[in-house]
Amino acid sequence: MKLTKQQRAQLSNQTQRAAVAALRSHFMGEGATYRRFQFLRGALMASAGWTAKLLFIGSWAVIGGLLAGPEHDFFLKQVHAWMVATPVDQVLAQSHAMFVSAAIECVKIGALLGFGQKLLAVVTPAVQQVKQNFVSLAA
């Protein structure tokens, strides 16, 4: 079913209101303290899972790029030349700094994905109900 511009705007407005109402009812009111703790626990667990996945995928992407990627022999020679030309303590410090900065970015992205995933679980039923009601009324 094709919606007009006015119907799309109306659906968007109703969807936004339903999402805000779902968030308010989930995080406020009676029994909200328990739901908040459950949400926080679930979001932290999901964030930890996403962070671990990103770290594993990122490290394997680097290893795969160095060992089997296009022009891998050139990159391996560059890494080897860098490690030979640079003193060991500097190589360790620079490698550690690169890893820590990449790990921090993975933690940030993992937290964003984990909390977003749990917020989506809170909002989705209300949004789907609004869309279903809107389609049934428009038909």
Side-chain angles (χ1 to χ4, degrees):
M1 175 168 107
K2 188 144 175 104
L3 299 176
T4 65
K5 189 174 184 179
Q6 182 181 9
Q7 287 175 326
R8 283 194 308 268
Q10 187 179 14
L11 177 61
S12 175
N13 189 15
Q14 288 178 4
T15 301
Q16 289 173 0
R17 286 184 183 180
V20 170
L23 289 173
R24 280 190 183 144
S25 67
H26 187 78
F27 291 111
M28 296 181 184
E30 195 163 324
T33 303
Y34 176 74
R35 288 192 302 269
R36 283 185 212 135
F37 284 121
Q38 286 294 102
F39 173 82
L40 187 59
R41 187 177 131 262
L44 290 175
M45 294 297 286
S47 296
W50 279 108
T51 300
K53 290 173 191 172
L54 290 170
L55 284 172
F56 292 142
I57 290 171
S59 63
W60 278 105
V62 170
I63 291 170
L66 284 176
L67 296 179
E71 300 182 17
H72 66 279
D73 55 343
F74 171 74
F75 290 119
L76 279 176
K77 287 178 186 175
Q78 293 288 47
V79 169
H80 182 261
W82 170 69
M83 292 177 80
V84 169
T86 310
V88 174
D89 57 339
Q90 287 181 6
V91 168
L92 291 175
Q94 290 174 0
S95 299
H96 183 264
M98 285 188 291
F99 175 76
V100 168
S101 67
I104 288 171
E105 294 305 315
C106 286
V107 168
K108 288 178 187 177
I109 294 171
L112 180 67
L113 290 172
F115 277 86
Q117 179 181 357
K118 291 304 173 182
L119 281 175
L120 185 65
V122 170
V123 171
T124 298
V127 170
Q128 286 181 345
Q129 182 66 35
V130 165
K131 286 183 180 179
Q132 190 178 35
N133 290 345
F134 188 82
V135 169
S136 66
L137 289 175

